[in-house]
Amino acid sequence: MTYPVIHVKQPPELRSFFGAPEWRTAPAGKIDRFHARSSAHHPAAQFRLLYSDDALHLKFHVGDRYVLARRTHPHDFVCNDSCVEFLVAPESGDGYLSFEMNCIGTLLSYHIRDWRRISGGFVNYERLSPELFQSVQLETTFSEVIQEEIASPVEYEVALRIPFALFQKTTNVPPPRPGTRWHGNFFKCADESSRPHWASWQPIGEELNFHQPHYFGELLFQ
């Protein structure tokens, strides 16, 4: 499947809503392929992705229940919380980048060159440096720690701006232009929720592992 990444001259405000005109320039992609190990709780999650001359702009919208967010430190394992993720591999780049955010805005971000799993991580990966980590802008609906699950229905959004300078310094690729093809996948999970689930934009096969770049879909810059 191909997702068209639309160019905008005026970047969207990260705080504006998923349905705002500035975000509706991008088609809404659905994160609705649930792994077989998921519980019966299937939250409704969508994303929109745009790009300007100097950055990617990504917005998630989630209708959820059984929401929790306990991780507050950079690079904590936010996948255990109510979390959304974006994994992106630039064309002809050196590996791929992961951006994983819980619903209160705690970010985990890796540059992964060899995604094969080993004890404690991957064969070849590193956390973003503090400088690059801080260059990612992030906005969320919630801001306070959620220790006890919110069992009732809620909606929330997570938005981020990823500068192309970050990709240049990690994967050694120039900013995309019309016709550039990258690859990636978008995810929703909550490993430690009472109703755990693992959903993706593109299917990931039988193994419960989001880090499988051969399953990434195409991101075509317009």
Side-chain angles (χ1 to χ4, degrees):
M1 184 181 294
T2 298
Y3 182 89
V5 188
I6 308 299
H7 181 267
V8 290
K9 293 183 178 180
Q10 181 64 38
E13 291 288 337
L14 294 185
R15 289 182 177 273
S16 61
F17 293 113
F18 187 81
E22 58 193 304
W23 283 106
R24 287 206 308 268
T25 302
K30 294 184 178 181
I31 305 172
D32 59 0
R33 298 175 183 269
F34 285 85
H35 191 271
R37 284 177 54 185
S38 298
S39 69
H41 172 56
H42 289 184
Q46 301 178 80
F47 69 90
R48 298 187 194 271
L49 182 65
L50 296 163
Y51 79 112
S52 59
D53 290 343
D54 60 354
L56 283 176
H57 309 272
L58 174 61
K59 170 78 82 170
F60 291 92
H61 179 88
V62 183
D64 207 354
R65 296 180 65 185
Y66 315 106
V67 172
L68 74 163
R70 298 167 179 160
R71 278 75 187 176
T72 59
H73 296 101
H75 301 298
D76 275 352
F77 288 113
V78 292
C79 60
N80 293 320
D81 293 338
S82 298
C83 173
V84 288
E85 303 184 10
F86 174 44
L87 274 56
V88 55
E91 184 179 43
S92 302
D94 179 15
Y96 66 93
L97 292 168
S98 67
F99 300 91
E100 307 176 22
M101 299 77 59
N102 68 9
C103 62
I104 60 172
T106 304
L107 173 65
L108 177 154
S109 189
Y110 292 154
H111 174 207
I112 301 172
R113 293 185 174 90
D114 188 333
W115 56 275
R116 289 175 295 165
R117 298 275 191 176
I118 58 173
S119 177
F122 306 92
V123 169
N124 188 346
Y125 80 107
E126 60 189 356
R127 296 176 176 179
L128 291 190
S129 69
E131 175 190 2
L132 293 178
F133 189 88
Q134 292 168 13
S135 72
V136 179
Q137 294 176 253
L138 209 156
E139 294 286 346
T140 57
T141 302
F142 296 131
S143 58
E144 300 295 327
V145 171
I146 306 171
Q147 284 286 355
E148 302 298 325
E149 282 188 3
I150 301 174
S152 57
V154 294
E155 295 187 9
Y156 55 87
E157 297 188 347
V158 177
L160 67 164
R161 175 189 179 275
I162 310 169
F164 289 130
L166 188 156
F167 292 98
Q168 289 178 287
K169 292 178 180 179
T170 53
T171 62
N172 301 311
V173 295
R177 57 185 181 181
T180 297
R181 298 173 188 272
W182 288 7
H183 291 83
N185 211 344
F186 304 82
F187 305 97
K188 168 70 180 79
C189 62
D191 292 20
E192 290 187 354
S193 166
S194 64
R195 308 294 194 281
H197 52 269
W198 299 271
S200 58
W201 170 56
Q202 293 297 289
I204 61 171
E206 294 184 4
E207 182 183 0
L208 180 49
N209 178 8
F210 289 169
H211 291 267
Q212 300 184 78
H214 49 284
Y215 282 121
F216 287 0
E218 183 178 71
L219 306 175
L220 177 59
F221 290 84
Q222 306 291 300

